[in-house]
Amino acid sequence: MLKNQGPARVFESEEEALKVILAKKIKKGEVIVIRYEGPKGGPGMREMLAPTSAIAGIGMDKEVALITDGRFSGGTRGAAIGHCSPEAAEGGPIAIVKDGDIIEIDIPAKRLHLLLTDEEIKRRLATWKAPEPRIKSGYMYRYAQMVSSASTGAVFLKK
């Protein structure tokens, strides 16, 4: 799994992915993409231990990879790539991945590549629209509006 290439299987939330994983409706070689779980999208950069545990529990942790803008803890096992930044809620490349897109993972080379033409990536980014926030009031809404990228610590920014 240090070098892997496979078709994307895209989910808009941890819950959506978990339901499919537990129903054993994932296939060997797929690259599971769970987006909108980063600092803004979660909000709060949710921990993805449940999906990775479920993948291991059904015996697929050496067969599928998981990519997310969420986070992982020390309990995660299998091919898990997290903290994607910029996250989907900010219009990062993870936001435009579609089911079936081929994703290439090369951990020794520190490379993650969505195998699309530059033109297709630009076209998809130009037509992407941010989804409605999951939480629309209170502290977590404020956090989602003011948080920085995971790559800069997911801290409050002045606005």
Side-chain angles (χ1 to χ4, degrees), residues 9 45 84 90 105 138:
R9 183 77 179 272
M45 200 158 191
C84 288
E90 290 185 322
I105 300 167

Side-chain angles (χ1 to χ4, degrees), residues 39 45 83 85 90 146-157:
M45 200 158 191
H83 302 230
S85 183
E90 290 185 322
M146 298 179 68
V147 70
S148 71
S149 170
S151 66
T152 58
V155 296
F156 270 165
L157 296 173

Side-chain angles (χ1 to χ4, degrees), residues 59-155:
M60 298 283 282
D61 55 318
K62 291 177 177 52
E63 310 295 335
V64 300
L66 189 148
I67 298 172
T68 183
D69 51 11
R71 66 183 176 86
F72 297 109
S73 69
T76 300
R77 60 190 248 200
I81 299 167
H83 302 230
C84 288
S85 183
E87 67 176 283
E90 290 185 322
I94 193 172
I96 61 160
V97 179
K98 293 182 180 179
D99 282 342
D101 287 347
I102 303 301
I103 297 175
E104 180 182 62
I105 300 167
D106 187 342
I107 293 173
K110 299 178 183 171
R111 199 176 103 164
L112 181 62
H113 190 181
L114 177 60
L115 298 180
L116 297 175
T117 64
D118 290 343
E119 293 78 24
E120 179 63 11
I121 290 171
K122 287 177 189 172
R123 186 188 68 72
R124 288 185 190 185
L125 285 170
T127 59
W128 174 81
K129 290 185 173 110
E132 286 288 317
R134 293 179 186 170
I135 298 173
K136 298 181 182 180
S137 65
Y139 179 76
M140 290 307 287
Y141 174 78
R142 179 175 171 244
Y143 176 84
Q145 299 303 304
M146 298 179 68
V147 70
S148 71
S149 170
S151 66
T152 58
V155 296

